[in-house]
Amino acid sequence: MKREGHDITIVGTSSMVQVALGAAKLLEEIGVSAEVIDPRTTWPLDEQTLIESARKTSRRSLWMKATAVTV
């Protein structure tokens, strides 16, 4: 967990973690406490941390960086 919060959970992977932390800071300015989770890997996924955070905040958002593959 990168940041504790109680209103919303933001899950960011890779470079999106910094974007998620920036969004959490902006949300804090308007009174929204955002929890930011960096699962580090998507396999194996730390499901317990994600479930506990989602239950705590009742709201969630997933941010992932898409990678284009050219064949």
Side-chain angles (χ1 to χ4, degrees):
M1 183 173 322
K2 294 291 188 177
R3 178 187 172 118
E4 296 239 6
H6 60 269
D7 293 321
I8 187 171
T9 299
I10 302 173
V11 181
T13 61
S14 188
S15 63
M16 295 307 291
V17 173
Q18 292 305 313
V19 175
L21 288 168
K25 189 172 183 177
L26 290 173
L27 288 169
E28 185 176 48
E29 293 175 7
I30 60 169
V32 177
S33 174
E35 184 152 289
V36 177
I37 297 176
D38 173 10
R40 297 217 148 225
T41 62
T42 55
W43 187 259
L45 187 61
D46 183 0
E47 293 177 25
Q48 190 63 37
T49 297
L50 298 174
I51 290 168
E52 288 174 9
S53 182
R55 283 184 178 147
K56 180 172 79 172
T57 64
S58 300
R59 295 174 186 92
R60 50 234 156 253
S61 176
L62 176 62
W63 299 26
M64 298 178 70
K65 181 179 178 183
T67 304
V69 177
T70 304
V71 178

